[in-house]
Amino acid sequence: MPNSPPTAGREALAAKVYHAVKQSIFDFQLLPGERFSENELAQQLQVSRTPVRQALFNLAREGYVEVLFRSGWQVKAFDFDYFEELYDLRIVLECEAVRRLCAMSSTESHTALAAVHHFWSESAPLTQGKAVALEDEAFHRALVAATNNRQFLLLHTELTEKLSIIRRLDFTCDDRILATYQQHQAILQAIFAQRCETALRLLTLHISESKAAVREITLHRLHQARLTLQACEDNKEGLRATSG
């Protein structure tokens, strides 16, 4: 088998670094405003500076990090107005999805949303915030996917990723997890009953609550979220060591 060309190898390393840094931002291991250097990342990920630099410029184009003149890199600070605009766009997209779902027959909407209905209304509730956050994203994605409009879904997927770092903070609190279950169940019930205005009102209120929470997010909460996630990982390691 021929060896991979050098360019392909560099691209693969850059992709590896890209995903690792983005995940560190989403997991609050790198916090908004936190500075770091290419050398630090290269040492941590055991790669050269070239793929690190390429990955960081890709992340900068997407708005996750920014380069500092002669002083390395920085995770981009929160722009609350920007996040609120993204939430407004989410409301527009998802409300249109709900209108189309309510125009379906009850059988059609049940079929389109069978998986999320089973999770949110019939399965045992999850309590781990990160897992609930991922299922919450799947719920909202399912509403949009049911429209069968690929451009709607593509735009919604991009919005979801940009909002992930904010939205997942909501699920560090037990009351937010409980509220999400209750609100999702109510939205689904309204859709299945073809009560469009009720479904729209409930969905808008549900997203608006998350939007309002954005203004309350502080670096303290981000630090607390990171500590909570680290404690969970430490507990898992402890269980593995005990079982081993």
Short mmCIF file of all heavy atoms in Angstrom, two decimals, residues 27-29 128 223-237:
data_model
loop_
_atom_site.label_atom_id
_atom_site.label_comp_id
_atom_site.label_asym_id
_atom_site.label_seq_id
_atom_site.Cartn_x
_atom_site.Cartn_y
_atom_site.Cartn_z
N ASP A 27 -16.25 21.76 26.54
CA ASP A 27 -16.21 21.13 27.86
C ASP A 27 -15.68 22.06 28.95
O ASP A 27 -15.45 21.62 30.08
CB ASP A 27 -15.33 19.87 27.82
CG ASP A 27 -15.99 18.73 27.07
OD1 ASP A 27 -17.21 18.79 26.84
OD2 ASP A 27 -15.28 17.78 26.70
N PHE A 28 -15.45 23.35 28.58
CA PHE A 28 -15.03 24.38 29.54
C PHE A 28 -13.64 24.13 30.11
O PHE A 28 -13.30 24.62 31.18
CB PHE A 28 -16.05 24.52 30.68
CG PHE A 28 -17.47 24.50 30.22
CD1 PHE A 28 -18.32 23.48 30.59
CD2 PHE A 28 -17.95 25.48 29.37
CE1 PHE A 28 -19.61 23.45 30.15
CE2 PHE A 28 -19.24 25.45 28.92
CZ PHE A 28 -20.08 24.43 29.31
N GLN A 29 -12.84 23.34 29.39
CA GLN A 29 -11.44 23.20 29.78
C GLN A 29 -10.64 24.42 29.31
O GLN A 29 -9.64 24.77 29.90
CB GLN A 29 -10.87 21.91 29.18
CG GLN A 29 -11.51 20.66 29.75
CD GLN A 29 -11.19 19.42 28.94
OE1 GLN A 29 -10.53 19.51 27.91
NE2 GLN A 29 -11.66 18.27 29.39
N GLN A 128 -27.77 13.23 34.18
CA GLN A 128 -26.45 13.78 33.89
C GLN A 128 -26.59 14.89 32.84
O GLN A 128 -27.11 14.68 31.76
CB GLN A 128 -25.54 12.65 33.39
CG GLN A 128 -24.06 12.89 33.64
CD GLN A 128 -23.43 13.82 32.61
OE1 GLN A 128 -23.83 13.80 31.45
NE2 GLN A 128 -22.48 14.63 33.03
N HIS A 223 -16.52 28.44 35.29
CA HIS A 223 -15.55 27.73 36.13
C HIS A 223 -16.23 26.61 36.91
O HIS A 223 -15.70 25.50 37.03
CB HIS A 223 -14.89 28.70 37.11
CG HIS A 223 -13.77 29.50 36.50
ND1 HIS A 223 -12.57 28.93 36.12
CD2 HIS A 223 -13.66 30.82 36.21
CE1 HIS A 223 -11.78 29.86 35.62
NE2 HIS A 223 -12.41 31.02 35.66
N GLN A 224 -17.43 26.89 37.45
CA GLN A 224 -18.16 25.88 38.20
C GLN A 224 -18.54 24.71 37.31
O GLN A 224 -18.47 23.55 37.72
CB GLN A 224 -19.43 26.49 38.82
CG GLN A 224 -19.15 27.45 39.97
CD GLN A 224 -18.39 26.78 41.09
OE1 GLN A 224 -17.24 27.10 41.36
NE2 GLN A 224 -19.02 25.82 41.75
N ALA A 225 -18.94 25.01 36.07
CA ALA A 225 -19.29 23.94 35.13
C ALA A 225 -18.08 23.06 34.85
O ALA A 225 -18.18 21.84 34.79
CB ALA A 225 -19.82 24.54 33.84
N ARG A 226 -16.92 23.70 34.68
CA ARG A 226 -15.71 22.93 34.41
C ARG A 226 -15.35 22.06 35.60
O ARG A 226 -14.97 20.89 35.45
CB ARG A 226 -14.54 23.87 34.09
CG ARG A 226 -13.27 23.10 33.70
CD ARG A 226 -12.22 24.00 33.11
NE ARG A 226 -11.67 24.92 34.08
CZ ARG A 226 -10.64 25.75 33.83
NH1 ARG A 226 -10.11 25.77 32.63
NH2 ARG A 226 -10.19 26.56 34.76
N LEU A 227 -15.49 22.60 36.82
CA LEU A 227 -15.19 21.82 38.01
C LEU A 227 -16.16 20.65 38.16
O LEU A 227 -15.77 19.55 38.56
CB LEU A 227 -15.26 22.72 39.25
CG LEU A 227 -14.15 23.77 39.39
CD1 LEU A 227 -14.45 24.69 40.57
CD2 LEU A 227 -12.80 23.09 39.56
N THR A 228 -17.43 20.88 37.82
CA THR A 228 -18.43 19.81 37.90
C THR A 228 -18.10 18.70 36.93
O THR A 228 -18.15 17.51 37.27
CB THR A 228 -19.83 20.37 37.60
OG1 THR A 228 -20.16 21.37 38.56
CG2 THR A 228 -20.88 19.26 37.64
N LEU A 229 -17.76 19.08 35.69
CA LEU A 229 -17.40 18.08 34.69
C LEU A 229 -16.14 17.31 35.10
O LEU A 229 -16.05 16.10 34.92
CB LEU A 229 -17.18 18.75 33.34
CG LEU A 229 -18.44 19.26 32.64
CD1 LEU A 229 -18.05 20.13 31.45
CD2 LEU A 229 -19.31 18.11 32.18
N GLN A 230 -15.17 18.02 35.67
CA GLN A 230 -13.94 17.36 36.11
C GLN A 230 -14.22 16.38 37.25
O GLN A 230 -13.66 15.29 37.30
CB GLN A 230 -12.92 18.40 36.56
CG GLN A 230 -11.55 17.80 36.90
CD GLN A 230 -10.94 17.06 35.73
OE1 GLN A 230 -10.80 17.62 34.65
NE2 GLN A 230 -10.59 15.80 35.94
N ALA A 231 -15.12 16.78 38.16
CA ALA A 231 -15.47 15.90 39.27
C ALA A 231 -16.13 14.62 38.75
O ALA A 231 -15.87 13.52 39.27
CB ALA A 231 -16.41 16.62 40.23
N CYS A 232 -16.98 14.77 37.72
CA CYS A 232 -17.62 13.59 37.13
C CYS A 232 -16.58 12.66 36.52
O CYS A 232 -16.65 11.44 36.68
CB CYS A 232 -18.62 14.02 36.06
SG CYS A 232 -20.10 14.82 36.71
N GLU A 233 -15.61 13.25 35.83
CA GLU A 233 -14.56 12.43 35.23
C GLU A 233 -13.72 11.74 36.30
O GLU A 233 -13.35 10.57 36.16
CB GLU A 233 -13.65 13.31 34.34
CG GLU A 233 -14.35 13.82 33.09
CD GLU A 233 -14.86 12.69 32.21
OE1 GLU A 233 -14.12 11.70 32.04
OE2 GLU A 233 -15.99 12.79 31.71
N ASP A 234 -13.43 12.47 37.40
CA ASP A 234 -12.66 11.87 38.49
C ASP A 234 -13.42 10.71 39.12
O ASP A 234 -12.83 9.68 39.48
CB ASP A 234 -12.35 12.93 39.56
CG ASP A 234 -11.36 13.97 39.06
OD1 ASP A 234 -10.68 13.70 38.04
OD2 ASP A 234 -11.27 15.04 39.69
N ASN A 235 -14.75 10.88 39.28
CA ASN A 235 -15.56 9.80 39.84
C ASN A 235 -15.54 8.57 38.95
O ASN A 235 -15.47 7.44 39.42
CB ASN A 235 -17.00 10.27 40.04
CG ASN A 235 -17.14 11.25 41.19
OD1 ASN A 235 -16.29 11.28 42.08
ND2 ASN A 235 -18.19 12.05 41.18
N LYS A 236 -15.61 8.81 37.62
CA LYS A 236 -15.58 7.68 36.69
C LYS A 236 -14.25 6.94 36.78
O LYS A 236 -14.20 5.71 36.78
CB LYS A 236 -15.78 8.20 35.25
CG LYS A 236 -17.20 8.67 34.97
CD LYS A 236 -17.30 9.19 33.53
CE LYS A 236 -18.68 9.77 33.26
NZ LYS A 236 -18.75 10.34 31.89
N GLU A 237 -13.14 7.72 36.87
CA GLU A 237 -11.84 7.11 36.99
C GLU A 237 -11.73 6.30 38.28
O GLU A 237 -11.16 5.21 38.31
CB GLU A 237 -10.75 8.17 36.95
CG GLU A 237 -10.56 8.82 35.59
CD GLU A 237 -10.13 7.82 34.53
OE1 GLU A 237 -9.39 6.87 34.88
OE2 GLU A 237 -10.54 7.98 33.37
#
